[in-house]
């Protein structure tokens, strides 16, 4: 199936105010004890992924009577949550993932933030959580990044990873949507997601467990989808695998996605396939961007049902030339092998995966022309 613009992509294309206009929506609270210069320097020298956090965080609260309010940039630190907090018992929680990049001139940018804002609201609707306006979402990013500008690294492959999330904080026991929610954004200076960088990963194809089933929440970004992938990933890691590829729950025969990434199959004729969005698969921003980039260069790209057997047969015959996974954290990662209970199937390396990675990261860093207006300037140098 040729790509059709989704509702999410249409919502992401709505206009939004620039950063200077939105700046100040979240009021900055003075920090009594920011990180020491020595600890800051150490954190920036040893960039991991999601292990060190910045001085500040964004925070807003929703109440049934007042809606979203109390918008502030406050010192990063522990939260106070009643043991009866609804998120602990009924799992009302959604999140996003995005990055801030420092360009060569020192300015700070992010990539397609309205896509993340729109997807957060898609997740909110599914979990009966109040929607957050695109303006509030963008303002929280702008104000946090400006407060923590020194934390945006400039080393190759680095970025400031941003994690917006919402959870139900009302204290009660009872199965209903909560009447109070907290919205926060935390930030982490980060290096590559995979410690070896742009290197092929070995993937276990799981035929026993599934992330989600038809009518479930597989297409929204909520913790439960990731929790369901953790045990299979633990078992796979014990066997030396880097990631797990899940099959569809309905037939257990078709490709869905990896534990936290979408998957693409490159054919020998240069065409590219990716599993269609069935309601089980997260509509990734990186996935959407790659499809558009492939269309831009005139390469045939289709979203369709892809059976595992057709991929394994294609690897054996040479019809399948490359495979890769993609997501905000890892960007693009080549798949070096698929393994099942029947054996290991090496996946050839190729030029298309690397070209997609170079183009996408080049746009994000300001080195390649941004033809679609995906970049959003957060702060000057």
């Amino acid at each position: 199936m040729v790509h059709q613009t989704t509702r999410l992509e249409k919502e992401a294309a709505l206009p939004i105010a620039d950063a200077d206009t939105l700046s100040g929506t979240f009021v900055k609270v003075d920090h009594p004890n920011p990180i020491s210069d020595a600890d800051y320097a150490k954190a920036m020298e040893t960039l991991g992924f999601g292990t060190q956090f910045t001085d500040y965080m964004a925070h807003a609260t929703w109440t049934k009577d007042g809606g979203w309010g109390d918008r502030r940039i406050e010192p990063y630190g522990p939260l106070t949550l009643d043991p009866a907090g609804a998120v602990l018992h009924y799992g009302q929680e959604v999140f996003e993932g995005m990055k801030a990049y420092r360009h060569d001139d020192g300015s700070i940018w992010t990539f397609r933030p309205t896509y993340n804002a729109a997807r957060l609201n898609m997740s909110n609707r599914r979990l009966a959580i109040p929607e957050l306006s695109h303006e509030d979402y963008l303002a929280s990013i702008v104000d946090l990044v400006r407060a923590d500008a020194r934390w945006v690294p400039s080393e190759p492959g680095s970025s400031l990873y941003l994690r917006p999330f919402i959870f139900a904080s009302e204290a009660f026991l009872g199965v209903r949507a909560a009447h109070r929610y907290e919205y926060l954004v935390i930030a982490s200076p980060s290096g590559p997601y995979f410690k070896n960088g742009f290197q092929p990963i070995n993937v276990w194809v799981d035929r026993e467990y599934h992330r989600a089933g038809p009518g479930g929440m597989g297409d929204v970004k909520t913790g439960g989808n990731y929790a369901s992938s953790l045990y299979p990933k633990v078992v796979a890691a014990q066997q030396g695998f880097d990631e797990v590829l899940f099959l569809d729950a309905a037939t257990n025969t078709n490709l869905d996605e990896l534990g936290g990434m979408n998957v693409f199959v490159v054919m020998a004729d240069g065409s590219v396939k990716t599993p269609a969005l069935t309601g089980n698969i997260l509509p990734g921003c990186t996935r959407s961007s790659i499809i558009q980039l492939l269309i831009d260069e005139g390469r045939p790209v289709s979203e369709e049902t892809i059976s595992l057997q057709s991929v394994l047969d294609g690897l054996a015959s040479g019809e399948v030339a490359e495979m890769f996974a993609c997501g905000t954290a890892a960007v693009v990662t080549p798949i070096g092998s698929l393994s099942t209970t029947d054996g290991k199937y090496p996946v050839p390396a190729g030029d298309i995966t690397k070209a997609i990675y170079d183009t996408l990261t080049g746009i994000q860093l300001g080195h390649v022309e941004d033809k679609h207006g995906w970049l959003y300037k957060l702060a000057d140098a």
Side-chain angles (χ1 to χ4, degrees), residues 145-322:
V145 168
R146 292 189 176 192
D148 277 328
R150 68 172 181 152
W151 288 95
V152 183
S154 56
E155 289 76 9
S158 68
S159 62
L160 182 67
Y161 184 78
L162 299 163
R163 170 53 58 86
F165 59 102
I166 301 175
F167 66 91
S169 56
E170 182 189 2
F172 76 100
L173 298 179
V175 184
R176 61 161 171 81
H179 294 165
R180 181 185 174 99
Y181 300 86
E182 310 300 325
Y183 167 69
L184 292 101
V185 187
I186 57 176
S188 173
S190 299
Y193 182 73
F194 289 109
K195 62 181 180 180
N196 295 323
F198 188 82
Q199 296 294 325
I201 59 173
N202 297 310
V203 175
W204 172 255
V205 182
D206 201 297
R207 286 171 159 152
E208 182 176 1
Y209 297 98
H210 301 95
R211 288 177 59 254
M217 300 188 299
D219 62 347
V220 302
K221 203 164 178 68
T222 183
N225 289 335
Y226 294 81
S228 64
S229 74
L230 295 181
Y231 178 70
K233 289 182 68 171
V234 167
V235 174
Q238 291 171 346
Q239 302 301 316
F241 298 103
D242 302 298
E243 259 290 354
V244 173
L245 175 61
F246 291 94
L247 304 178
D248 73 299
T251 71
N252 206 36
T253 60
N254 302 317
L255 274 57
D256 257 5
E257 64 174 75
L258 278 73
M261 294 182 284
N262 297 122
V263 63
F264 282 77
V265 180
V266 181
M267 309 304 290
D269 63 4
S271 62
V272 181
K273 301 178 181 179
T274 191
L277 299 177
T278 59
N280 289 350
I281 298 171
L282 186 72
C285 180
T286 307
R287 174 188 184 276
S288 169
S289 303
I290 289 171
I291 290 172
Q292 184 60 60
L293 292 175
L294 293 170
I295 293 171
D296 289 347
E297 66 178 57
R299 188 176 298 280
V301 55
S302 62
E303 299 172 80
E304 60 185 72
T305 300
I306 305 173
S307 71
L308 172 63
Q309 192 59 52
S310 71
V311 172
L312 299 182
D313 291 344
L315 290 172
S317 68
E319 186 180 3
V320 172
E322 305 173 45

